[in-house]
Amino acid sequence: MSLESHGPAPCDDADGHLVTAGPLTPPPDSAGTVADEKALRHSVAEDVQGMILATLVASLGLAIFAKGGLMIGGMAGLAFLVHYAFGWNFGLVFVLVNLPFYWVAVRRMGWEFTLKTFAAVTACGVLTDLLPRWADFAHMSSLYSAIVGGALAGLGILFYIRHRASLGGIGILAVYLQRTRGWSAGKVQMSFDTLLMCVAFSVLSPSKVMYSAIGAVVLSLVLMFNHRPGRYMGV
């Protein structure tokens, strides 16, 4: 299924837009008619610079989360938990835990979205690991880490959405289940993130889990206020 074609779904809103609250993998934008989409489509150069900027911003947000010892939802949160619990490389774990979701992305989102998402996940994971070597922070409070890390990660995801990509994860599966079985993508994403936060209590202190939840809320608010079908039209 290509990115340009979106069949009717049981959870579409009144305007025909897919409704999902998945913070890490929102659906591609709809741009009206086919002619509108062709007129608004980014060039290769625009896509490249957009993906680079998205990676710089999102990886900085994730690095700030890591410095504060926090986590977020989705597969990035799972990768953080594995990193904290076993000391494994965050970037490698982030890439590996996303692999099972790419076959869903190919079937439901198309090859363009899938390849861009694979590139985004890989680049963001690698850069998140490298950033502390290039720009170390002497001190990072948990509250600052939650707010600024969540805001930057949310902005990075917005840039990815604009260029038909994402940071992968459970959100891809959530959108797939919404389209095929009528399950609410937002509820699927929320259920996974709630379970993840519960597991986090066995790895992080209660205060760290609380600040992690604040960071996840900030990230979601950035997407909620800035990604709206009919308004956010860049493709």
Side-chain angles (χ1 to χ4, degrees):
M1 181 176 181
S2 66
L3 287 173
E4 289 80 4
S5 62
H6 298 286
C11 293
D12 285 0
D13 65 13
D15 297 321
H17 299 299
L18 181 64
V19 177
T20 174
L24 290 182
T25 318
D29 286 328
S30 172
T33 66
V34 174
D36 290 335
E37 293 188 2
K38 290 181 178 179
L40 293 172
R41 182 173 291 278
H42 292 114
S43 67
V44 173
E46 289 170 337
D47 270 342
V48 169
Q49 65 84 33
M51 293 285 287
I52 291 174
L53 289 176
T55 300
L56 292 174
V57 174
S59 61
L60 179 57
L62 293 178
I64 289 176
F65 269 115
K67 181 65 178 182
L70 308 182
M71 55 170 284
I72 54 176
M75 291 297 103
L78 179 59
F80 272 130
L81 276 186
V82 173
H83 170 69
Y84 295 143
F86 303 104
W88 296 356
N89 180 277
F90 167 81
L92 177 61
V93 175
F94 187 40
V95 171
L96 292 178
V97 296
N98 274 290
L99 291 179
F101 299 98
Y102 291 127
W103 74 272
V104 177
V106 170
R107 294 182 60 188
R108 307 308 300 181
M109 303 294 192
W111 278 104
E112 178 188 350
F113 174 86
T114 303
L115 292 175
K116 285 182 177 179
T117 296
F118 178 78
V121 168
T122 303
C124 205
V126 170
L127 195 55
T128 299
D129 285 334
L130 290 176
L131 274 174
R133 304 181 187 180
W134 300 337
D136 193 17
F137 300 100
H139 173 70
M140 182 79 66
S141 72
S142 295
L143 182 59
Y144 181 89
S145 177
I147 295 175
V148 177
L152 290 175
L155 288 173
I157 292 167
L158 278 174
F159 296 162
Y160 281 130
I161 294 171
R162 187 178 182 88
H163 293 273
R164 293 177 178 261
S166 77
L167 278 181
I170 196 71
I172 295 175
L173 179 62
V175 171
Y176 172 76
L177 291 175
Q178 175 168 288
R179 292 182 177 182
T180 58
R181 300 193 179 185
W183 297 4
S184 167
K187 290 180 180 179
V188 172
Q189 180 82 48
M190 184 181 298
S191 298
F192 178 84
D193 289 346
T194 300
L195 177 61
L196 195 62
M197 289 294 176
C198 291
V199 174
F201 281 105
S202 64
V203 179
L204 304 176
S205 66
S207 64
K208 293 292 187 183
V209 176
M210 180 192 71
Y211 284 117
S212 297
I214 292 174
V217 169
V218 171
L219 188 155
S220 296
L221 287 175
V222 169
L223 295 177
M224 183 179 73
F225 284 113
N226 295 281
H227 179 68
R228 299 182 183 181
R231 174 180 293 180
Y232 193 82
M233 300 296 288
V235 296

